[in-house]
Amino acid sequence: RPNRPSTVLMGFEAIDPLPDRVVAPSQQVKEILISLPIGFTHLVDGVRDFTIVNMDMPLASPQYLDFYEKDRLRVMLNLNRTSWTTLKVGTYSFRFSVMIPDPLPVFNVWGLSLCSGTCKRISDPTVLTTFATPGFGFNEAPAGGFGVTAHASGPGRP
């Protein structure tokens, strides 16, 4: 429903290990950018409000999450622990809450970008690739497979 919080699950699957910094230093994924459609705002106020479903992700330390701009989230990685550190084969998913706008945007598309450096927009030159995923409508069941799924949350429901 509009003007209510909802929980979103977004992710991607690495079907092959990504190249390490010895093989392809310019193709290292250093950040993951999650871009929300216009009008949506995330409700993340700290790492406690953001769940990484696959914890086998080489996160930057001490701060790996930039949540200050409400139309995007940035996850910083530390792939330089060793020459061989990379994103391994697997499923990487993120769960967080958003506020659903009214009306829904005409271009209701979510973005998940893999970046070789700092990125704040999907048009930044450090973006290696972007997975564009159709959003959801009011009272609409999420589509199967990967992409944006939402579950209503309200008073008394996490």
Side-chain angles (χ1 to χ4, degrees):
R1 296 191 322 190
N3 301 314
R4 302 263 323 229
S6 185
T7 301
V8 172
L9 177 68
M10 287 188 75
F12 66 96
E13 181 178 9
I15 57 174
D16 286 315
L18 297 175
D20 61 38
R21 69 180 175 145
V22 172
V23 173
S26 64
Q27 295 178 0
Q28 291 298 288
V29 177
K30 295 183 179 154
E31 283 191 13
I32 298 170
L33 172 68
I34 299 171
S35 305
L36 284 61
I38 292 173
F40 280 84
T41 56
H42 70 74
L43 302 175
V44 177
D45 290 323
V47 294
R48 70 190 176 287
D49 301 323
F50 185 81
T51 303
I52 299 173
V53 178
N54 178 338
M55 287 309 296
D56 195 23
M57 185 173 276
L59 299 172
S61 170
Q63 182 67 16
Y64 69 87
L65 181 64
D66 179 354
F67 54 88
Y68 298 108
E69 300 200 45
K70 292 299 187 180
D71 64 342
R72 72 196 76 150
L73 292 159
R74 294 173 44 230
V75 179
M76 280 71 80
L77 304 179
N78 179 10
L79 297 179
N80 294 323
R81 287 188 234 163
T82 70
S83 298
W84 309 277
T85 304
T86 185
L87 285 179
K88 299 174 184 157
V89 171
T91 302
Y92 298 92
S93 300
F94 311 97
R95 184 179 301 119
F96 55 96
S97 294
V98 298
M99 184 64 69
I100 299 175
D102 186 18
L104 285 173
V106 173
F107 189 69
N108 187 358
V109 177
W110 298 69
L112 190 146
S113 304
L114 304 181
C115 308
S116 63
T118 300
C119 58
K120 294 188 178 192
R121 301 254 179 237
I122 62 172
S123 58
D124 283 350
T126 59
V127 172
L128 298 168
T129 191
T130 297
F131 303 100
T133 307
F136 52 89
F138 298 134
N139 301 317
E140 183 177 279
F146 271 106
V148 176
T149 61
H151 303 282
S153 62
R157 290 180 65 186

